[in-house]
Amino acid sequence: MRPADQLAVFVGDALTSGKSRVEIADALAAAGWAPNEVSEAMHAWADTDFSPPVPRPRPYVSARDAFYYGLMFVALAMTAIHLTWLSFILIDRWLPEPGQENNYVFALSSMRWTISTLVVFAPLFLILNARIVRATRADPGKRRSGVRKWFGYITLFLAAMSLLGDLMTIIYAFLNGELAARLLAKSAVVALLAGSVFLYFRQETEGGEDAR
Amino acid sequence: MRVDILPQIVIGALVVAAVVAGLFVVGGPEDGRMEARDQKRMEDLRALSDFIRCVAHANDRQLPVELTPNPGCSQTVRFQDPFSEKAYTYTKTSSDTYQVCATFEKPALLSGASFRDGVLEPSTGCATITYR
């Protein structure tokens, strides 16, 4: 049993035996539990006079969720990576730099590859996403999915990293005196894409805060 | 417009724009086939150039005047385009330079394609090579 679960069971037992919430919190603090651990354990039980104590909803993990969120996450990652790649090739083509090597043939096969990937994964992401949004609206309890939270926060983390990396590259190029149209265009693509993903998953990870 | 679907709209719009622009640049399957045929022609010209060097080497460093099969050099070298069946042309331009030419379908993609001791001129489809 995890310490947090052990604690929640203890609080449940103590409430059943008629102790007040203040008494229980004091006893836990005296035993050396930190304030956030105490409040989390108390929060696991609804603050009502009903007996036996009523548990609050807990996060759950399901294989079905892992399948859908895993697939959606992979589809989003593939879409983002290949969209960035394709945009960079197009920008290199439209904003050539003097003395640029000719690598058209290589670029053409890369472009065909990225287009194929986008044609498969972008619709998959949008469809799965629409499905998940509909399911969550119909049943807000789905917001408590542990898998959903993990995928949400991992994506948020990656999007934040890309945005920070983007900013870093712009500052570096600016100091190097290289801030050209091409770099600005590429940074704009990354910012727009990572920004959308960030915004989206921030909305997604909001709510369902009763689940810890 | 609802804010909660804005990111999906942005991602979808970016994908559609990039894919359309990409297809505009790369063209359809027929463009791909043209490029593949041109690549084959490039390989043939390189092999032909190696063949000519081999012949010259065997003949006391004298470049041949015209293309003739040589049993001492590559037996598999092609003297004509396998797709259009048009002969590749060979011209001795001086005692130590020569040209090999082919008709390419998308010559612009081949600009600056390199040969051993030579370079291809896309507008003519000819590679001028120095024999050392």
Side-chain angles (χ1 to χ4, degrees):
Chain A
M1 201 186 269
R2 292 188 310 152
D5 294 338
Q6 203 184 358
L7 197 55
V9 169
F10 163 78
V11 173
D13 289 346
L15 287 169
T16 313
S17 68
K19 298 270 189 291
S20 79
R21 296 181 81 89
V22 178
E23 280 176 308
I24 299 169
D26 287 346
L28 286 174
W33 292 94
N36 67 319
E37 291 166 325
V38 174
S39 73
E40 189 178 324
M42 303 299 290
H43 196 79
W45 304 95
D47 195 358
T48 60
D49 291 333
F50 192 86
S51 187
V54 186
R56 280 216 169 87
R58 308 278 296 166
Y60 66 93
V61 173
S62 88
R64 193 173 173 281
D65 277 6
F67 171 75
Y68 280 113
Y69 284 104
L71 203 58
M72 186 176 87
F73 184 74
V74 168
L76 176 62
M78 292 296 275
T79 304
I81 291 166
H82 286 83
L83 183 57
T84 315
W85 187 5
L86 179 57
S87 318
F88 280 16
I89 297 174
L90 286 169
I91 290 168
D92 282 346
R93 200 184 169 87
W94 289 332
L95 302 170
E97 271 175 6
Q100 184 182 342
E101 291 292 314
N102 182 329
N103 51 5
Y104 280 164
V105 177
F106 168 73
L108 286 176
S109 66
S110 298
M111 283 171 84
R112 292 199 174 101
W113 182 247
T114 54
I115 289 171
S116 314
T117 311
L118 286 175
V119 166
V120 173
F121 282 103
L124 179 68
F125 166 68
L126 292 174
I127 290 168
L128 280 176
N129 178 57
R131 217 189 129 103
I132 286 168
V133 166
R134 227 179 308 124
T136 321
R137 281 217 185 98
D139 177 7
K142 287 207 160 71
R143 278 189 173 273
R144 276 192 290 274
S145 163
V147 177
R148 174 197 168 88
K149 278 180 185 282
W150 269 99
F151 276 125
Y153 276 107
I154 289 169
T155 312
L156 206 56
F157 172 74
L158 294 177
M161 292 296 285
S162 343
L163 281 174
L164 291 171
D166 197 29
L167 189 62
M168 208 168 76
T169 314
I170 293 176
I171 293 172
Y172 174 74
F174 172 70
L175 292 176
N176 249 347
E178 288 170 16
L179 202 59
R182 177 192 274 200
L183 180 81
L184 282 179
K186 287 183 181 177
S187 303
V189 169
V190 175
L192 200 57
L193 186 61
S196 314
V197 172
F198 188 84
L199 194 69
Y200 168 60
F201 277 94
R202 225 182 51 129
Q203 292 167 359
E204 281 295 292
T205 45
E206 276 169 3
E209 282 307 324
D210 50 348
R212 299 204 187 196
Chain B
M1 187 189 291
R2 290 211 318 269
V3 177
D4 59 341
I5 57 165
L6 187 65
Q8 289 94 305
I9 291 173
V10 171
I11 294 171
L14 278 176
V15 168
V16 170
V19 167
V20 168
L23 284 175
F24 183 74
V25 171
V26 297
E30 185 49 42
D31 295 82
R33 282 191 285 271
M34 285 182 196
E35 284 158 34
R37 287 196 291 261
D38 280 356
Q39 284 301 312
K40 189 73 205 157
R41 291 179 182 115
M42 279 297 295
E43 283 168 29
D44 281 359
L45 281 194
R46 288 197 174 103
L48 192 60
S49 177
D50 288 346
F51 172 81
I52 291 159
R53 279 163 191 282
C54 169
V55 172
H57 201 68
N59 187 27
D60 201 19
R61 303 187 63 80
Q62 295 294 307
L63 285 168
V65 177
E66 58 182 24
L67 283 178
T68 44
N70 187 315
C73 294
S74 168
Q75 302 287 316
T76 53
V77 68
R78 260 192 289 269
F79 291 160
Q80 64 173 22
D81 188 320
F83 308 104
S84 67
E85 314 226 317
K86 220 175 122 186
Y88 293 132
T89 59
Y90 162 74
T91 323
K92 181 177 173 179
T93 46
S94 78
S95 63
D96 62 351
T97 56
Y98 60 95
Q99 269 195 335
V100 283
C101 306
T103 310
F104 292 101
E105 292 170 77
K106 290 191 148 199
L109 292 178
L110 302 164
S111 80
S114 67
F115 281 78
R116 199 169 139 201
D117 296 323
V119 72
L120 183 93
E121 174 52 51
S123 57
T124 57
C126 289
T128 307
I129 300 155
T130 310
Y131 176 60
R132 294 199 178 93

